[in-house]
Amino acid sequence: GEGPYDRGAMRGLRFLGLVGLIDPPRPEAFDAIARCRSAGVDVRMVTGDHPATALSIARDLGIAADPSDVVTGAQLAALENDPTPHGAAVARARVFARVEPRQKLGIVESLPQAGHVVAVGGDGVNGTPAMRAADIGVAMGRGGTDVARDCADLILTDDNFASIVDGIEEGRTAYDNVRKV
């Protein structure tokens, strides 16, 4: 068809280079993930990214190590009508890639059936159903949308995942002190 990207429009051009972009994890995320693990908190990553990109980032963060740790939105869609394999796939996955917002909600609804208490962090409108369904919805205070902040149980004023870990530690200390009294 006619348009700016058909073959006719590409004549006379010369390839000069290729650019790749990455949105790397924030530096404090590495320590926060390690602190979560040592505190018994299981971190999972849910993203719209390509599975290879998601696995690469998850490896760097120490969330996942192997391609079998990644479940895609297409794989989840194939299991939607059968709750047992769907629940098993959700329970074993460390990373969920190319996931749609409705699938994120399904993941959040499946994890408590495996005995998990679920916290979901997000900053946009697409994550709000999952944040609302989670035991604890966590919104980003600076970069998050008004909708995300309105439906959250907890708002991170510094948009820093590490603040969640600090909050867990403070909460556990307070709980222990109450039990002592």
Side-chain angles (χ1 to χ4, degrees), residues 51-52 55-56 59 64-72 75 92-95:
L55 179 58
S56 176
R59 278 184 177 144
D66 192 78
S68 65
D69 293 330
V70 180
V71 171
T72 66
Q75 291 169 319
R92 78 168 167 76
R94 317 302 310 144
V95 177

Side-chain angles (χ1 to χ4, degrees), residues 23-115:
D23 186 12
R26 291 169 61 162
E28 64 272 8
F30 298 90
D31 180 57
I33 300 292
R35 287 172 54 207
C36 280
R37 185 175 300 107
S38 68
V41 176
D42 190 21
V43 177
R44 305 199 181 185
M45 187 169 87
V46 182
T47 181
D49 287 344
H50 186 277
T53 304
L55 179 58
S56 176
I57 292 168
R59 278 184 177 144
D60 288 347
L61 289 169
I63 295 173
D66 192 78
S68 65
D69 293 330
V70 180
V71 171
T72 66
Q75 291 169 319
L76 289 175
L79 300 173
E80 278 179 350
N81 295 328
D82 199 345
T84 302
H86 181 272
V90 168
R92 78 168 167 76
R94 317 302 310 144
V95 177
F96 300 90
R98 291 281 196 235
V99 171
E100 298 173 13
R102 67 178 176 76
Q103 292 174 314
K104 188 174 185 178
L105 176 60
I107 291 164
V108 171
E109 291 173 342
S110 291
L111 287 170
Q113 296 169 9

Side-chain angles (χ1 to χ4, degrees), residues 113-133:
Q113 296 169 9
H116 296 283
V117 175
V118 181
V120 173
D123 60 2
V125 174
N126 289 339
T128 56
M131 285 173 49
R132 197 170 277 141

Side-chain angles (χ1 to χ4, degrees), residues 165-175:
V165 184
D166 294 337
I168 291 168
E169 289 173 357
E170 290 289 327
R172 286 180 175 175
T173 299
Y175 179 78

Side-chain angles (χ1 to χ4, degrees), residues 147-167:
V147 173
R149 286 190 298 270
D150 287 346
C151 83
D153 301 298
L154 173 67
I155 299 172
L156 299 178
T157 57
D158 61 0
D159 288 5
N160 187 342
F161 179 78
S163 296
I164 296 172
V165 184
D166 294 337

